[in-house]
Amino acid sequence: MKGYITDIDGQRHRIELDDGGVTVRLDGAAVDVSPAWLGHAGRDLLVVLNGRSYDIRIEEENEHLVLTHAGWRYHCQVLDERMADIKRRAGMADRPVGRAVVKSPMPGLVVKLLVESGATVQKGERLLILEAMKMENDVKAPCAGTVTQIRVNAGEAVDAGRELVVIEP
């Protein structure tokens, strides 16, 4: 078994895989996982986890991965256990992973900006309100830092994946 430490939006998990990737343990518990890559770009993954299927898009952003599922974006960092231990011992484990570009999880209308350029935000803090399918959705900060750029205006229609806000540690 090979072990990895993942940090998904601030929640740490330990994942163990056998050499073939067939046997998986999540935080010590065996889970039934069946992954399949979809499409030719290799960014879309179908995962059947304990009988439920999840369509996940994986994109690389700066020094971490962004996983998108059902319109929600999760910032993820994966380290092997040795690298995670080195970072923990060096006091680097809880540092921000770098500049974060917050993108629109879905097409919609920017209803209201809740922060200004230069503002200091905490992880999970609301950045703006995006209306999609007649529902208002909060777009939240994936990490703590300073808002260095706001790339949209209130009242502006945006497509999925449009860059909205840039946060730097």
Side-chain angles (χ1 to χ4, degrees):
M1 294 286 247
K2 186 164 184 172
Y4 298 91
I5 304 298
T6 62
D7 183 321
I8 303 174
D9 280 348
Q11 295 186 1
R12 287 190 175 247
H13 301 281
R14 185 172 195 279
I15 297 173
E16 298 171 81
L17 302 173
D18 68 4
D19 289 337
V22 177
T23 303
V24 178
R25 297 184 71 80
L26 176 63
D27 295 329
V31 291
D32 182 20
V33 176
S34 178
W37 290 102
L38 305 173
H40 58 278
R43 296 186 318 175
D44 297 318
L45 181 67
L46 172 66
V47 176
V48 178
L49 177 63
N50 290 332
R52 290 189 62 190
S53 65
Y54 301 89
D55 291 317
I56 301 170
R57 170 159 281 198
I58 301 173
E59 299 170 286
E60 190 171 1
E61 189 174 288
N62 301 319
E63 299 173 14
H64 60 280
L65 302 174
V66 176
L67 310 177
T68 304
H69 169 68
W72 294 99
R73 294 170 53 85
Y74 303 93
H75 292 258
C76 178
Q77 186 176 33
V78 180
L79 301 171
D80 64 33
E81 288 180 313
R82 185 173 166 192
M83 182 58 74
D85 186 52
I86 290 169
K87 286 185 128 188
R88 182 185 57 77
R89 290 174 189 267
M92 300 168 59
D94 295 325
R95 289 187 187 166
V97 291
R99 183 178 113 149
V101 179
V102 180
K103 296 180 181 178
S104 179
M106 61 194 88
L109 179 71
V110 176
V111 175
K112 187 176 183 179
L113 296 171
L114 303 173
V115 295
E116 297 177 351
S117 186
T120 300
V121 295
Q122 298 301 313
K123 181 178 177 177
E125 188 172 331
R126 296 168 53 200
L127 301 172
L128 59 92
I129 299 172
L130 181 69
E131 181 182 292
M133 299 173 58
K134 299 183 180 182
M135 294 182 63
E136 291 189 351
N137 304 280
D138 292 337
V139 176
K140 298 180 180 178
C143 60
T146 302
V147 174
T148 58
Q149 295 178 40
I150 297 176
R151 296 182 174 172
V152 292
N153 297 304
E156 187 175 343
V158 296
D159 292 324
R162 166 85 183 270
E163 294 181 356
L164 305 171
V165 176
V166 176
I167 300 171
E168 297 195 25

